[in-house]
Amino acid sequence: MQSFSDAKRIAHPAAKPDGKVELSLPARRKRAAGAGEGANSPDFITALARGLDVLRCFRHGVTALGNLDLARLTGLPKPTISRITYTLTELGYLRYHPDTGKYSPGYGVLALGFGLLAGLEVRELAKASMTELARATGGAVALGAFDGDAMTYVEAIHGSSALYLRLPVGYRASLDSAMGRAYLASLPPQACADALARLDETAPDAAAIERARAELHDTGCCYAIGEWQSGINAVAVPFSSLTGEGVFVMSCGGPASLLPEADLRTRVAPLLRAAIAGLAGAPA
């Protein structure tokens, strides 16, 4: 398997006028003077951000949305939405359905997603331990990363046919899930406060985050016992990937009938901590 450090050194092909291809190193990007200013930076492209906001509206379970739906979800004016959806459709990132006047994600979005997953080394490294954990517990094991206002699954393995909640790769779990709480609890207090400040009513309760922080300190895990989804129990552990790709969270959950709280805390949590042991480069 190619190492992360080797991957960073791979040269990119550049075509010459005679049609031949030669290897050239990727250009080093200069850090902008306004870096760290977020949307207030002169380098921030508002039109691009709005287009991505529209794409984010197509979450798990949402099959199609019209311009009015998108305007309501994003808070953008309908004329702006119309221009964005037209552009995204022309580029292949949305598909228009004339029978309903609505849009659904196009194949261009799929290509972007597979491009990310194919280059995510921690995902490949985690598959074996996730599969073993799912087999040992019968639960749903997921690997996720923070995505602005949710935790996006980059890998998901289901250990039992009895699971009625089978969430796929690409699913965006709320930050009030065990996975979301674990990520927030792993952050320094100010960074956690900043992340919560950017959320709306979907932000987890401050008391839940403090409880998760205490659980993480005491046990190395965070829990959601029927709180995220009624009848669903889950445990999650954050870690900094040894590949240098950032902070990820691995979770294991399932129906309370399959994973009762006592079993989750005494048997599943130690197995989960063992599963990430070979993936973590440093404490998250």
Side-chain angles (χ1 to χ4, degrees):
M1 181 182 294
Q2 181 186 66
S3 71
F4 179 71
S5 57
D6 289 338
K8 292 200 295 184
R9 292 195 294 268
I10 290 178
H12 295 279
K16 298 175 68 176
D18 60 6
K20 296 181 179 179
V21 174
E22 66 177 10
L23 296 178
S24 60
L25 293 175
R28 186 182 298 275
R29 185 182 185 276
K30 294 182 179 179
R31 180 173 289 276
E37 297 176 8
N40 295 321
S41 169
D43 292 324
F44 188 86
I45 304 176
T46 301
L48 175 58
R50 288 175 172 176
L52 295 174
D53 283 343
V54 166
L55 290 177
R56 285 178 185 273
C57 291
F58 294 92
R59 303 190 177 194
H60 178 68
V62 177
T63 56
L65 294 169
N67 284 340
L68 286 176
D69 301 318
L70 293 166
R72 175 178 54 81
L73 290 170
T74 62
L76 295 173
K78 187 174 180 294
T80 300
I81 290 292
S82 296
R83 292 194 297 272
I84 291 173
T85 52
Y86 173 81
T87 302
L88 292 174
T89 301
E90 288 295 303
L91 294 175
Y93 294 107
L94 288 181
R95 290 183 294 162
Y96 179 67
H97 304 280
D99 55 331
T100 62
K102 295 189 175 185
Y103 299 86
S104 62
Y107 296 114
V109 175
L110 185 64
L112 288 177
F114 274 112
L116 167 65
L117 294 176
L120 200 57
E121 189 175 5
V122 67
R123 176 174 178 258
E124 292 302 315
L125 293 176
K127 280 185 178 179
S129 59
M130 291 177 67
T131 300
E132 184 177 346
L133 179 61
R135 186 182 299 116
T137 63
V141 180
L143 181 69
F146 180 62
D147 187 23
D149 61 353
M151 300 297 295
T152 297
Y153 286 10
V154 298
E155 186 57 274
I157 296 175
H158 304 93
S160 171
S161 59
L163 294 171
Y164 57 84
L165 193 63
R166 303 176 71 84
L167 303 175
V169 171
Y171 178 76
R172 303 182 78 239
S174 77
L175 291 179
D176 204 24
S177 62
M179 182 179 282
R181 292 179 184 181
Y183 173 77
L184 291 171
S186 74
L187 296 175
Q190 187 56 55
C192 179
D194 291 343
L196 291 173
R198 291 192 293 269
L199 300 175
D200 50 22
E201 66 275 2
T202 61
D205 183 73
I209 300 305
E210 287 306 309
R211 185 169 65 252
R213 195 180 298 277
E215 289 174 340
L216 186 61
H217 178 271
D218 294 340
T219 71
C221 301
C222 295
Y223 300 85
I225 309 299
E227 298 158 289
W228 174 56
Q229 296 270 0
S230 179
I232 298 292
N233 295 340
V235 56
V237 177
F239 65 96
S240 294
S241 170
L242 58 77
T243 62
E245 292 169 303
V247 175
F248 294 84
V249 181
M250 188 182 294
S251 68
C252 181
S257 57
L258 178 68
L259 296 177
E261 181 178 357
D263 189 49
L264 197 73
R265 293 182 181 273
T266 59
R267 184 178 68 92
V268 178
L271 291 174
L272 177 59
R273 289 194 297 268
I276 64 106
L279 305 173

